[in-house]
Amino acid sequence: MAHAVKKIVIVGGGFAGINFVKQLGKDNRFQVTLVDKNNYHFFPPLLYQVASAFIEPSNISYPFRRMFEGKSNLHYHYGSLLKVNPGNNTIETDTGILEYDFLVLAIGTETNYFGMENVRQHSRPMKTIDDAINLRNHLLLNMEKASLINDRAEKESLLNIVIAGGGPSGVEIAGMLAEMRQNIATIEYPEIKGILSHIHLIDASPHLLGPMSSKAQKAAFKVLNQLGVKVKLNTAVKDYKDGKVLLADGEMIATKSLIWTSGVIAREVPGLPPDVTGRGRRILVDEFNKVKDTQNIFAIGDICLQVTDNNYPGGHPQLAQVAIQQGSLLAQNFRRQASGKPLKPFSYNDKGSMAIISKYEAVADLPKVSFTGFFAWLIWLFVHIIPLVGFRNKVKLAFSWFWSFITNNPTLRLIIRPGKQEN
Ligand SMILES: Cc1cc2nc3c(=O)[nH]c(=O)nc-3n(C[C@H](O)[C@H](O)[C@H](O)COP(=O)(O)OP(=O)(O)OC[C@H]3O[C@@H](n4cnc5c(N)ncnc54)[C@H](O)[C@@H]3O)c2cc1C
């Protein structure tokens, strides 16, 4: 006798979500509906290149409906999750109610401002494509504003940039903005030539690139110093008001641009049983990614906290590879269960981490070896093209990079502000 087709609703089409869905395409034992508030998947590790006008947003984004073409058991629902109702197996979204047999939560994290309201209101996050485009417009607009005025202090404040957070995103955008300042700003904006403005990178911990090897940390510090970035460690950002960033040691930096890459917190999911969240508001799951105290609800990727992996008793780092591997394994476990096979518990296979610091300079920590410099940079390029969704995106990105690296001058510095005036 044929088994009934199971309805799976998965919320969130990031790394975890699409790797889950990919495994179930064309398996007609499941009807899978992906809910996402954007109609596209995107690649966060390259957001900083969009924010600094180095590549176009479309280079790193791909529409879900295109991804699902030809797979009749995969569906896309445009909407934002509002609430889960475990009692009647439904979720509420801002565009309707959906029923499920199994629910998978994969909506990741949001920017964490650690309760600093002024920072939340006035800084610039870099978490989504919208954030990156807003940041790009803001930085370009400030250069134009600075070109129009004569007051030196005001010019400096428009051109100073403070980046809070010395993890890979902070390091990468600091390096890229410093290079753009050297290669582009001084040539295309003669009105701001000679103005003493700075890029500051601030981190509360004693090292840049916290979880990476000390070799990578030192290399990042050295290269950023050479590029003129003012790196300040062991110092937290405390406030941002009246156009000044206040640091824990009392220093104030006048700037119209505070870029916030300092931390994340899991997105809230109203309606789940009480006591299912742990550190960083992450949802507690078992070794099969099933949410604590539920029967048919799962959580994967950045949003979940799994402490059953012997090598990661405190939970996994919130990284793309963890999300990818959890998404794939959960889908495989659904298929195993449907075939009467035993389920496999999750165990993270760490493939290493890397960050690019400037043109021809990157740092790479692979499982058995760490290296820096040009070779690491080449590997970084390769590693960041392969996982992009869509062959056209890979070719477009490779061409954009090739062109930008040989000319030192990407030509995307357009200020496009649909419908919203920036103040
Ligand atoms: C700027 C930046 C750089 C990074 N660089 C690296 C790196 O170099 N290497 C690395 O390993 N990791 C990096 N990360 C971390 C990595 O991106 C995450 O670990 C990974 O994206 C987690 O995948 P996920 O699927 O859990 O969540 P996400 O990729 O965040 O996906 C969440 C999805 O849920 C959707 N969503 C959110 N809220 C709702 C809602 N209410 N309703 C419906 N849909 C919703 C979003 O639109 C999104 O599609 C970086 C992250 C950022 C922000």
Side-chain angles (χ1 to χ4, degrees), residues 11-17 35-38 40 42 44-45 47 64 79-81 106-109 126-127 169 267 300-303 318-321 323 354 384:
V11 195
F15 283 123
V35 180
D36 200 296
K37 60 182 181 175
N38 296 311
Y40 53 83
F42 72 98
L47 275 178
F64 294 120
S80 187
L81 177 70
I107 57 176
T109 55
M126 201 176 57
K127 188 78 180 80
S169 307
R267 287 201 166 91
I300 48 177
D302 276 4
I303 199 172
Q318 286 162 299
L319 290 174
Q321 269 303 324
M354 44 197 353
H384 285 79

Side-chain angles (χ1 to χ4, degrees), residues 76-183:
Y76 169 64
H77 179 100
Y78 174 77
S80 187
L81 177 70
L82 298 177
K83 192 171 180 228
V84 176
N85 299 312
N88 62 5
N89 289 347
T90 61
I91 60 161
E92 294 169 30
T93 75
D94 60 351
T95 52
I97 292 178
L98 279 87
E99 282 177 19
Y100 61 82
D101 295 314
F102 297 103
L103 174 65
V104 182
L105 299 167
I107 57 176
T109 55
E110 61 192 25
T111 303
N112 189 356
Y113 300 95
F114 304 100
M116 291 182 279
E117 192 48 30
N118 287 329
V119 173
R120 189 187 70 76
Q121 275 187 31
H122 305 298
S123 70
R124 305 272 157 177
M126 201 176 57
K127 188 78 180 80
T128 63
I129 292 275
D130 294 342
D131 290 343
I133 295 173
N134 281 332
L135 180 54
R136 179 178 90 178
N137 287 336
H138 173 81
L139 296 173
L140 294 173
L141 202 58
N142 280 353
M143 303 241 279
E144 295 302 342
K145 284 180 184 169
S147 305
L148 290 171
I149 57 171
N150 292 321
D151 184 278
R152 270 191 99 82
E154 187 63 12
K155 262 187 197 274
E156 277 171 25
S157 154
L158 281 161
L159 297 174
N160 280 339
I161 297 171
V162 177
I163 300 157
S169 307
V171 164
E172 287 175 333
I173 193 152
M176 180 141 277
L177 291 176
E179 284 194 317
M180 290 184 81
R181 193 159 279 195
Q182 275 176 8
N183 299 329

